Amino acid sequence: MKNTINHLRNNHIIHNNKALYYALFDEVTEAKSLLEQVALVSQGRTMYSTCLNSIARYVKDDLLAGTLSHLNTNSNTNNNASNKSNTKYGSVTPSLILSARPADDPLEAILYLTSVGIPGQVYDTVRSLRQARARRLGALQRKVPGIHLVMLWILGAIMMTSFPVLVGVGGAAAAGGLPY
């Protein structure tokens, strides 16, 4: 039973890490595209350095902060080492990132600086980047707490042990051996 639980846990960790890596790849690809577009749109203008600083802040505070601490924590628990993160970045929970005010969002600053007239490619790229960030943050969140899995295993064991008793009582009642 313990081997089965460990096997399921390991499969769950592998699946979560795979989803995280795919989401991270998508987000980095979109961030690279945004960097290229911002460089083309704002090069030679006064907003160029502000846009690049916003992208740097997004990468440092949002992309690296939560992801690296999560990956280091997972690798430490898999190697039976301590649960402390070995990264210089602090752990950032997805709920804190999503609940940030728009004024604190570096992507919002880029949208504000580049929004002149009809929304263009930068707007679409920021939208795609936010969708990729949502997939990454969803992959970072824990799906089912461990206590829920333990409770499901206990419920399954109770059902498996009580099933023969219920079948026996039902069969005896149907045969007329037990009065109602």
Side-chain angles (χ1 to χ4, degrees):
M1 175 104 166
K2 186 176 182 181
N3 289 335
T4 304
I5 291 174
N6 286 337
H7 179 71
L8 289 174
R9 181 176 177 267
N10 289 337
N11 281 342
H12 181 71
I13 289 172
I14 290 170
H15 178 71
N16 279 352
N17 283 345
K18 183 179 174 182
L20 176 62
Y21 287 129
Y22 282 141
L24 191 59
F25 178 79
D26 290 343
E27 188 173 8
V28 168
T29 303
E30 291 296 331
K32 181 181 170 187
S33 176
L34 179 65
L35 179 64
E36 292 169 354
Q37 288 178 3
V38 163
L40 288 174
V41 168
S42 64
Q43 188 173 16
R45 297 183 184 176
T46 57
M47 66 179 179
Y48 184 65
S49 64
T50 307
C51 287
L52 291 181
N53 286 337
S54 293
I55 291 175
R57 198 174 89 210
Y58 168 76
V59 170
K60 180 179 159 246
D61 295 341
D62 190 352
L63 191 60
L64 289 178
T67 307
L68 283 181
S69 63
H70 175 75
L71 292 177
N72 284 340
T73 302
N74 270 353
S75 65
N76 285 345
T77 53
N78 288 341
N79 295 332
N80 293 329
S82 67
N83 287 336
K84 293 183 180 179
S85 177
N86 293 330
T87 181
K88 66 180 180 178
Y89 303 107
S91 178
V92 177
T93 60
S95 60
L96 292 177
I97 292 172
L98 292 175
S99 65
R101 298 178 312 169
D104 297 334
D105 188 12
L107 298 178
E108 193 69 29
I110 293 170
L111 281 178
Y112 179 73
L113 291 170
T114 59
S115 65
V116 177
I118 298 173
Q121 292 291 81
V122 174
Y123 177 80
D124 292 336
T125 305
V126 168
R127 184 173 53 88
S128 298
L129 183 57
R130 284 183 172 165
Q131 290 172 348
R133 176 172 64 175
R135 285 191 299 273
R136 175 181 54 93
L137 294 176
L140 282 173
Q141 288 180 336
R142 186 174 211 174
K143 305 299 185 258
V144 179
I147 190 71
H148 290 172
L149 292 176
V150 171
M151 290 171 50
L152 283 173
W153 278 100
I154 291 171
L155 178 64
I158 290 171
M159 290 178 68
M160 294 300 287
T161 56
S162 65
F163 182 72
V165 174
L166 293 175
V167 169
V169 170
L178 292 176
Y180 289 101

